[in-house]
Amino acid sequence: SEVGAAEQTRGRAGAEPGAAGAARAGPYLSWYLALLGLAEHFRTSSPPKVRLCVHCLQAVLPRKPPPRMEARTHLQLGSVLYHHTRNGDQARGHLEKAVSGIPQFEDVKFEAASLLSELYCQENSVDTAKPLLRKAIQISQQTPYWHCRLLFQLAQLHTLEKDLVSACDLLGVGAEYARVVGSEYTRALFLLSKGMLLLMERKLQEVHPLLTLCGQIVENWQGNPIQKESLRVFFLVLQVTHYLDAGQVKSVKPCLKQLQQCIQTISTLHDDEILPSNPADLFHWLPKEHMCVLVYLVTVMHSMQAGYLEKAQKYTDKALMQLEKLKMLDCSPILSSFQVILLEHIIMCRLVTGHKATALQEISQVCQLCQQSPRLFSNHAAQLHTLLGLYCISVNCMDNAEAQFTTALRLTTHQELWAFIVTNLASVYIREGNRHQEVRKKFVKFCHSMMFKSQIFPVFFFFPPRRFLRETLKMSNAEDLNRLTACSLVLLGHIFYVLGNHRESNNMVVPAMQLASKIPDMSVQLWSSALLRDLNKACGNAMDAHEAAQMHQNFSQQLLQDHIEACSLPEHNLITWTDGPPPVQFQAQNGPTTSLASLL
């Protein structure tokens, strides 16, 4: 939702004391110009002298300035207090006066309404912010820039409340308004934002024609090169994530390559200071630097799904380094969202490659980021407990894994995440033994929830396991899903081994081992080496059996060492957290309390 919110191209127009206010003061009020100039000087000092700036602006009001000037001064005071202090009450008072104190429908009123609604939302008074924005939208139709900006703002507010239907309606209204006022650029922004929300709702039948229309608008629009390329990035990001949501890792490659080329093009363009002639075009999607991080993130998502974990780690490191630099100068919430999503992906990568201790420390980083933002925690709590559940499985803490997955299920309504959690919870029940009824219940519920999408329910109960695995292999090979292919191969190899078909088992396990080494997937390597050892023993190949046994021993030692290190970290106590916000401090562990036996 944060990625879809369009922003203003050139600062907060008139929100700070400066030239905009001075231009309206009139030459006869030299004292106003002097006070305004002093206020701006104090505001832009390093560090800003906010108290003196406020004093200068307050000195304007006792002189009974004209209504327009008075309203603008209240707006400037409200803006300075909102952005530079924690005095929300005073900021609110000045902004409310700016909204109500001038009869004319002009920029001061709309800007004050926009800022005041932000303040209301910050104070959790969303129900007060909505009617304020609706009224401002109603009376701003003759002011294209503010009408579009307020529509974006109200749509963003509905999105944050997860009311995507209302948000989509507003974005549709905005797209039509932009078309009427001759702004194809902003029309594309509205439509792309709507497309993103439709993807979130999984309304794919509506997404396809909308994205097709967006592609045509983007290609045909002739304007500022940076704005055009940013529209193309937005469009391609939606296309790539749409493919990845469907698991089409191979099919997405041309789009991903275009996206990477596009961001390279943007990085070479210089942002000129020429303002668009149409005021409705005074928006942009994201700053160039934020788009760069977003493209890294999308590339990491692709690499993870394709099973190129070293590549995923390389791009994650680049993105996190870029984020650290940006966060020194920019406190935008979207940067923390990017950071959390990147960490969520790299944590899964660490668990697959057998680096549990590092994964645990990165889970702790996510906790710290979520402690700083209640909204971030609300959006990522289920994912955080899911990651802890996966970590618990990796260190054989099955009771804690069950508790973490159960907590995650309680916190999410997202269908794909819910299915992922249920599948992992079922694996916990299977490994604990004697819980087959619970496994069946979970999967029956899962299958019923998926009935509207597929025929999973009847397939699950009537086809044999090998049929499933061969279908999985067919799908994973078609889309280059290397991890899924490796897991399917080793499981098929295990089944053939149990059935006594050693030749067919070997045909599955050898490529599984090769693929797992390429990923690298430590669990599949451990499993494959054990199977190869037993296969070669059964076939009388003593040397090959010894080599496979040595590989298995090496993998076991690496996992055991990492297991001991992870369980000894103070962050290991996170596995007991299942309620409320993340704990702030962790007590040191005396040593590992779990066994690695079941993993070996």
Side-chain angles (χ1 to χ4, degrees):
S1 63
E2 291 143 314
V3 178
E7 299 177 358
Q8 186 183 352
T9 304
R10 302 280 179 249
R12 293 184 299 274
E16 308 292 1
R24 298 188 182 190
Y28 56 92
L29 289 178
S30 56
W31 55 266
Y32 176 77
L33 293 174
L35 287 170
L36 205 62
L38 272 174
E40 182 69 356
H41 167 73
F42 290 133
R43 188 188 69 83
T44 55
S45 298
S46 184
K49 298 176 181 178
V50 177
R51 186 173 60 86
L52 295 174
C53 173
V54 169
H55 284 338
C56 290
L57 292 171
Q58 285 175 331
V60 173
L61 298 174
R63 295 174 177 268
K64 302 295 182 184
R68 182 180 296 176
M69 188 187 300
E70 183 180 355
R72 178 160 290 281
T73 303
H74 280 301
L75 168 61
Q76 291 162 342
L77 275 165
S79 177
V80 170
L81 289 166
Y82 174 66
H83 289 111
H84 300 286
T85 75
R86 295 182 181 178
N87 198 333
D89 290 342
Q90 281 193 31
R92 189 189 327 108
H94 283 293
L95 291 170
E96 285 173 349
K97 287 176 183 177
V99 169
S100 60
I102 186 167
Q104 292 86 352
F105 302 148
E106 61 171 311
D107 287 3
V108 173
K109 196 179 192 76
F110 304 138
E111 185 170 355
S114 173
L115 202 55
L116 185 56
S117 69
E118 282 184 33
L119 181 58
Y120 285 148
C121 291
Q122 198 175 76
E123 296 174 342
N124 295 317
S125 300
V126 176
D127 290 338
T128 310
K130 286 180 189 173
L132 177 65
L133 286 172
R134 287 194 196 103
K135 184 178 178 182
I137 288 168
Q138 252 181 351
I139 62 177
S140 62
Q141 293 190 32
Q142 302 306 313
T143 314
Y145 165 72
W146 279 109
H147 190 67
C148 291
R149 177 167 168 172
L150 293 164
L151 281 167
F152 273 125
Q153 192 170 348
L154 185 55
Q156 175 77 348
L157 186 53
H158 282 298
T159 302
L160 293 174
E161 287 199 310
K162 304 190 187 309
D163 181 4
L164 302 188
V165 174
S166 297
C168 282
D169 289 343
L170 283 163
L171 293 169
V173 169
E176 178 58 22
Y177 177 82
R179 185 191 67 80
V180 170
V181 298
S183 175
E184 287 295 286
Y185 168 75
T186 302
R187 182 188 177 203
L189 273 181
F190 275 114
L191 289 173
L192 288 167
S193 299
K194 182 178 179 179
M196 183 186 63
L197 298 188
L198 290 173
L199 281 173
M200 290 168 64
E201 288 191 286
R202 298 293 184 266
K203 292 186 176 178
L204 303 185
Q205 289 184 341
E206 296 179 48
V207 169
H208 295 307
L210 189 141
L211 285 183
T212 301
L213 174 61
C214 288
Q216 294 168 354
I217 294 172
V218 171
E219 289 307 312
N220 294 332
W221 185 72
Q222 301 298 319
N224 183 303
I226 287 185
Q227 286 183 308
K228 185 178 178 71
E229 290 303 311
S230 71
L231 284 180
R232 188 176 280 126
V233 168
F234 196 171
F235 173 69
L236 288 169
V237 164
L238 293 185
Q239 278 204 315
V240 170
T241 51
H242 183 31
Y243 275 115
L244 291 179
D245 276 349
Q248 295 177 313
V249 171
K250 185 176 181 180
S251 305
V252 79
K253 285 181 179 178
C255 286
L256 182 59
K257 189 174 180 180
Q258 284 183 58
L259 178 59
Q260 291 164 341
Q261 290 170 345
C262 197
I263 200 66
Q264 288 175 352
T265 302
I266 285 183
S267 63
T268 63
L269 296 173
H270 296 288
D271 192 5
D272 53 45
E273 295 299 320
I274 301 173
L275 292 176
S277 56
N278 189 337
D281 286 344
L282 281 168
F283 297 92
H284 71 142
W285 177 45
L286 285 174
K288 287 192 292 185
E289 297 79 11
H290 292 196
M291 281 190 271
C292 183
V293 174
L294 179 60
V295 173
Y296 277 137
L297 173 55
V298 170
T299 306
V300 168
M301 291 167 63
H302 176 263
S303 300
M304 282 289 296
Q305 283 199 28
Y308 303 127
L309 300 193
E310 290 179 349
K311 187 177 178 182
Q313 186 171 331
K314 181 182 79 171
Y315 282 111
T316 300
D317 291 341
K318 286 184 176 182
L320 290 174
M321 195 179 303
Q322 179 91 350
L323 276 170
E324 287 303 317
K325 292 177 183 176
L326 289 173
K327 289 181 81 172
M328 290 178 186
L329 304 169
D330 186 349
C331 58
S332 174
I334 198 172
L335 297 180
S336 294
S337 295
F338 285 161
Q339 189 173 0
V340 167
I341 297 169
L342 282 162
L343 285 169
E344 286 171 352
H345 281 79
I346 200 63
I347 288 163
M348 290 187 284
C349 181
R350 307 283 192 209
L351 292 173
V352 170
T353 56
H355 297 92
K356 296 182 282 291
T358 307
L360 183 58
Q361 290 169 330
E362 287 164 341
I363 290 174
S364 176
Q365 284 184 48
V366 175
C367 288
Q368 291 168 22
L369 287 166
C370 288
Q371 285 165 4
Q372 299 165 17
S373 169
R375 181 179 293 168
L376 198 62
F377 176 62
S378 174
N379 290 337
H380 293 270
Q383 292 92 318
L384 188 49
H385 283 288
T386 303
L387 290 170
L388 280 168
L390 295 174
Y391 166 77
C392 290
I393 290 178
S394 75
V395 292
N396 199 28
C397 296
M398 293 302 159
D399 289 342
N400 297 105
E402 181 180 351
Q404 292 295 337
F405 288 136
T406 303
T407 302
L409 283 175
R410 177 168 49 83
L411 294 171
T412 189
T413 56
H414 191 278
Q415 189 176 26
E416 280 76 8
L417 180 59
W418 189 88
F420 180 77
I421 297 166
V422 166
T423 307
N424 280 282
L425 187 55
S427 76
V428 170
Y429 292 158
I430 291 169
R431 291 172 68 167
E432 286 184 320
N434 300 320
R435 300 187 69 175
H436 301 299
Q437 283 300 110
E438 289 173 84
V439 175
R440 183 183 176 85
K441 284 179 184 177
K442 287 291 180 188
F443 271 103
V444 167
K445 186 177 179 183
F446 167 60
C447 292
H448 275 301
S449 74
M450 297 294 283
M451 279 287 283
F452 71 96
K453 291 176 70 175
S454 65
Q455 298 301 314
I456 289 178
F457 186 77
V459 168
F460 179 76
F461 287 103
F462 295 109
F463 286 154
R466 276 178 292 174
R467 172 75 174 272
F468 279 126
L469 289 171
R470 291 192 185 281
E471 285 297 316
T472 303
L473 269 177
K474 185 178 176 181
M475 289 188 294
S476 59
N477 279 328
E479 285 293 341
D480 291 345
L481 298 166
N482 292 329
R483 279 201 67 224
L484 190 55
T485 301
C487 291
S488 303
L489 283 169
V490 72
L491 186 51
L492 268 173
H494 199 128
I495 291 170
F496 283 123
Y497 174 74
V498 170
L499 294 173
N501 190 340
H502 295 165
R503 181 179 177 182
E504 197 65 33
S505 177
N506 191 69
N507 289 341
M508 299 291 147
V509 177
V510 170
M513 179 60 128
Q514 292 169 345
L515 202 51
S517 303
K518 180 182 174 184
I519 290 170
D521 187 323
M522 183 63 78
S523 297
V524 176
Q525 285 178 292
L526 186 72
W527 191 358
S528 300
S529 59
L531 270 174
L532 282 173
R533 176 197 61 198
D534 297 342
L535 269 172
N536 284 302
K537 273 185 184 177
C539 295
N541 302 325
M543 288 185 63
D544 291 338
H546 176 74
E547 184 181 341
Q550 189 61 51
M551 277 195 300
H552 186 265
Q553 180 67 17
N554 292 340
F555 292 138
S556 299
Q557 287 301 315
Q558 289 177 46
L559 279 172
L560 181 59
Q561 186 176 352
D562 185 56
H563 178 93
I564 293 169
E565 184 184 350
C567 294
S568 301
L569 290 171
E571 291 87 351
H572 183 71
N573 280 300
L574 275 171
I575 66 173
T576 62
W577 162 61
T578 55
D579 191 37
V584 179
Q585 294 180 333
F586 312 102
Q587 297 295 321
Q589 288 280 317
N590 295 323
T593 56
T594 57
S595 167
L596 194 64
S598 68
L599 299 180
L600 305 182

